Amino acid sequence: MDFLFPLLILALLVPMFFGIRKQKREAEKVSSMQEGLKVGDQVVTTSGLYGTVVDLDDTTVDLEIAEDVVTTWLRQAIREVRADEQAVEETTPATDATVEESAEQTETRLTKD
């Protein structure tokens, strides 16, 4: 019965210790990603905005979010750097998913109340 309390404390502290280590590793990985940004990288911000890095500062990043539209963000707001394959896949329309409708179907769809 004397060993129950120390075992209970150990059972609670071990998962907490491993959770803290994992969280620290993730924070280091994000920090190194944010420090390694370079002009031309396609990124996603923490608010879900997609953009391309056009200028860098010590604390800020200028992102082009549309043609000739540049916004300034803190480096900490960059959540991930997108791989080139991801960017190409999302900008290329899927040809299998396009279904054309006839003029009659379009008229029916638009005139429905």
Side-chain angles (χ1 to χ4, degrees):
M1 198 67 161
D2 293 333
F3 296 113
L4 186 61
F5 185 70
L7 286 176
L8 182 64
I9 295 296
L10 186 65
L12 293 174
L13 290 179
V14 168
M16 187 174 72
F17 173 74
F18 285 120
I20 290 171
R21 283 187 54 205
K22 181 179 179 183
Q23 186 177 11
K24 194 178 285 190
R25 267 195 314 262
E26 290 294 322
E28 288 174 2
K29 189 167 78 170
V30 168
S31 178
S32 67
M33 178 272 304
Q34 290 170 348
E35 290 297 320
L37 288 174
K38 58 188 181 300
V39 173
D41 282 347
Q42 294 182 349
V43 298
V44 180
T45 65
T46 54
S47 60
L49 182 78
Y50 291 81
T52 304
V53 177
V54 292
D55 193 23
L56 296 166
D57 194 353
D58 288 340
T59 58
T60 61
V61 176
D62 289 343
L63 298 181
E64 183 176 38
I65 56 175
E67 191 172 325
D68 296 329
V69 179
V70 178
T71 57
T72 302
W73 295 79
L74 288 174
R75 276 188 186 251
Q76 290 81 10
I78 305 300
R79 182 177 66 195
E80 68 181 70
V81 176
R82 299 179 66 215
D84 292 336
E85 300 141 8
Q86 289 176 333
V88 170
E89 287 175 7
E90 288 187 9
T91 57
T92 312
T95 56
D96 298 339
T98 56
V99 177
E100 294 190 22
E101 59 184 22
S102 67
E104 276 181 13
Q105 291 171 329
T106 304
E107 176 118 9
T108 304
R109 182 175 48 86
L110 293 175
T111 57
K112 273 189 175 177
D113 288 319

